[in-house]
Amino acid sequence: MLSIHLGDYPGSIYDTKTYFRNSYLDSWFEDPMAAQMIKGVDGSELIGPHSIISKQLGSTTPLELSGGVKTLLLVRNLPDMVFNASTCGDNCARWLLKIGKEQDVLVTLYHIMKFPWKRFEIRIENDGRIVKNMQEFVGATNDFLDVDDTTRVLH
């Protein structure tokens, strides 16, 4: 299940770009979901662990992936760690839900992410409640995030 902690969480990784650069493995790109996420979020095609074809950049490496895809790959491949999902845009929300359907993961958020599905299940780590739609999710963010939190999106 996808669990979200709203606001600061001890031990959370906030600089996902640097963490990714120093920890990703070639094997992560053998996962079919990696290719789907790269296509769905960045609009690029995964050729192999060292080759991605981008319409904007041409041939690139995993280091040139968007911050959102890097964060999704970290969440998917290091599920025991906590990453800042505020480095992701709303186009990553469906992928967080998909990852959460396959494995238990915890991420932090500092903003209201728009989840595309009408019904879903997300556990709010702060108090343990399960939210099942955007209205309930927004209510949870109101309980745990203040204006200062929602403007502090760290990349």
Side-chain angles (χ1 to χ4, degrees):
M1 173 178 269
L2 173 62
S3 296
I4 295 174
H5 186 90
L6 299 163
D8 289 335
Y9 186 83
S12 180
I13 306 296
Y14 295 97
D15 185 358
T16 55
K17 178 181 177 182
T18 300
Y19 200 88
F20 180 86
R21 182 177 63 241
N22 291 295
S23 64
Y24 83 90
L25 300 173
D26 290 350
S27 61
W28 293 7
F29 298 94
E30 296 168 7
D31 176 7
M33 189 183 284
Q36 294 167 359
M37 291 186 298
I38 291 166
K39 181 82 164 170
V41 176
D42 286 358
S44 298
E45 184 179 351
L46 175 64
I47 304 302
H50 303 282
S51 181
I52 297 163
I53 303 298
S54 163
K55 291 177 186 173
Q56 293 80 20
L57 303 173
S59 182
T60 66
T61 71
L63 296 177
E64 284 77 45
L65 289 168
S66 69
V69 172
K70 289 175 184 174
T71 301
L72 290 171
L73 288 167
L74 289 166
V75 170
R76 171 88 168 152
N77 291 286
L78 300 173
D80 294 331
M81 302 189 76
V82 181
F83 295 97
N84 175 21
S86 283
T87 60
C88 297
D90 288 343
N91 60 345
C92 295
R94 70 183 285 246
W95 296 105
L96 287 171
L97 291 170
K98 284 186 175 204
I99 292 167
K101 282 187 174 283
E102 293 186 13
Q103 60 196 98
D104 291 334
V105 294
L106 171 63
V107 298
T108 60
L109 272 179
Y110 290 91
H111 72 287
I112 299 171
M113 180 174 275
K114 186 176 181 200
F115 291 96
W117 300 341
K118 290 183 181 185
R119 307 255 339 130
F120 50 78
E121 285 194 2
I122 296 172
R123 181 178 178 276
I124 303 300
E125 168 73 20
N126 305 65
D127 64 4
R129 82 177 98 164
I130 305 295
V131 296
K132 297 185 177 198
N133 57 49
M134 277 306 296
Q135 183 177 4
E136 292 176 6
F137 180 66
V138 169
T141 62
N142 288 337
D143 291 344
F144 296 106
L145 295 178
D146 61 30
V147 175
D148 291 335
D149 285 338
T150 57
T151 59
R152 193 180 93 197
V153 178
L154 303 175
H155 294 275

